[in-house]
């Protein structure tokens, strides 16, 4: 069973629809005791990282998340939340993985936000990218990116700059793209996470 952290900042419907298609059982985490009900945890998120962090803090779930030893998957803003800091709202975040979330610089050749399909390249044999070939396309929507650090990178992407499309540290995994909107490749990643 996968528990989805329900803190009011995630597009949960598309994620639950994808899990239902894959016959992966899930439930919602609304309070600290709910973490005990699930073997794996997903932190979703869309929108503004600073606002999402504020909502997560107000939910009272931050200490429990930081203490988790079960596999955790952050998606989109859920990925950014597990980094140390975001330029969006000048916000201190969960600081689980010591990398920063930075804004794409406006360039004529690359519109911001980075929106649409782009290729990812798995690194460091992260198990969530099992059976996903280098150059596979995933669906992105974001104006802020995770700075590249080879120690914590699980996959890279290039959008005028090389950035971390996936990161990992211990039991914490995260992806910037939306696996629930990325067709078969996204479904493979969700299955990989469910099977950790």
């Amino acid at each position: 069973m996968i528990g989805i952290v329900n803190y009011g900042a995630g597009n949960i419907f598309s994620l639950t629809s994808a899990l239902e298609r894959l016959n992966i059982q899930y439930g919602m985490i609304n309070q600290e005791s709910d973490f005990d009900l699930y073997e794996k945890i997903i932190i979703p998120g869309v929108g503004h990282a600073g606002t999402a962090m504020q909502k997560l803090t107000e939910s009272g779930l931050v200490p429990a998340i930081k203490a988790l030893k079960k596999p955790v998957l952050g998606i989109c803003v859920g990925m950014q939340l597990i980094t140390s800091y975001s330029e969006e709202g000048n916000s201190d975040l969960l600081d689980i993985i010591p990398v920063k979330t930075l804004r794409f610089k406006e360039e004529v050749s690359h519109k911001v936000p980075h929106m649409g399909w782009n290729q990812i390249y798995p690194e460091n044999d992260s198990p969530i990218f099992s059976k996903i070939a280098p150059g596979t396309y995933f669906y992105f929507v974001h104006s802020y990116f995770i700075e590249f650090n080879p120690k914590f990178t699980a996959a890279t992407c290039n959008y005028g700059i090389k950035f971390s499309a996936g990161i990992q540290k211990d039991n914490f995994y995260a992806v910037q793209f939306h696996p629930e909107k990325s067709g078969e490749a996204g479904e493979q990643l969700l299955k990989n996470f469910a099977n950790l």
Side-chain angles (χ1 to χ4, degrees):
M1 283 276 281
I2 289 178
I4 300 171
V5 179
N6 186 20
Y7 64 105
N11 180 10
I12 288 175
F13 178 74
S14 57
L15 176 59
T16 56
S17 297
L19 295 174
E20 286 166 10
R21 283 198 304 274
L22 295 168
N23 294 315
I24 295 171
Q25 290 187 304
Y26 66 87
M28 296 297 159
I29 293 173
N30 298 301
Q31 56 194 19
E32 192 172 332
S33 60
D34 293 342
F35 284 104
D36 297 334
L37 303 174
Y38 303 101
E39 297 156 359
K40 299 177 182 74
I41 310 298
I42 291 179
I43 305 172
V46 292
H48 187 286
T51 303
M53 186 65 204
Q54 185 178 347
K55 287 182 177 180
L56 193 60
T57 301
E58 289 168 356
S59 76
L61 298 175
V62 167
I65 290 171
K66 294 183 83 159
L68 285 169
K69 300 299 179 200
K70 304 171 182 182
V72 179
L73 176 64
I75 296 175
C76 194
V77 169
M79 176 196 201
Q80 296 175 6
L81 287 175
I82 69 173
T83 69
S84 59
Y85 166 83
S86 175
E87 287 187 342
E88 188 171 26
N90 191 27
S91 308
D92 290 324
L93 305 176
L94 292 170
D95 197 23
I96 291 167
I97 300 182
V99 290
K100 292 178 181 170
T101 300
L102 307 173
R103 182 170 170 82
F104 283 117
K105 302 292 184 275
E106 302 278 356
E107 294 177 357
V108 175
S109 59
H110 293 90
K111 291 181 181 175
V112 179
H114 173 210
M115 191 160 97
W117 297 87
N118 204 342
Q119 292 173 290
I120 63 98
Y121 295 88
E123 294 195 4
N124 295 322
D125 295 321
S126 177
I128 63 168
F129 287 98
S130 174
K131 301 179 185 170
I132 295 173
T136 298
Y137 282 87
F138 283 85
Y139 187 77
F140 290 83
V141 184
H142 62 124
S143 299
Y144 292 77
F145 67 93
I146 311 300
E147 64 177 342
F148 174 72
N149 181 322
K151 182 177 179 182
F152 302 111
T153 295
T156 61
C157 182
N158 197 301
Y159 191 66
I161 186 172
K162 182 179 179 181
F163 67 91
S164 293
I167 52 177
Q168 178 186 346
K169 181 187 175 192
D170 303 325
N171 56 308
F172 284 88
Y173 304 83
V175 293
Q176 181 61 69
F177 51 79
H178 287 274
E180 75 279 9
K181 297 178 181 177
S182 296
E184 287 183 18
E187 290 184 350
Q188 181 65 55
L189 186 137
L190 289 172
K191 284 192 280 190
N192 290 343
F193 177 69
N195 292 329
L196 286 176

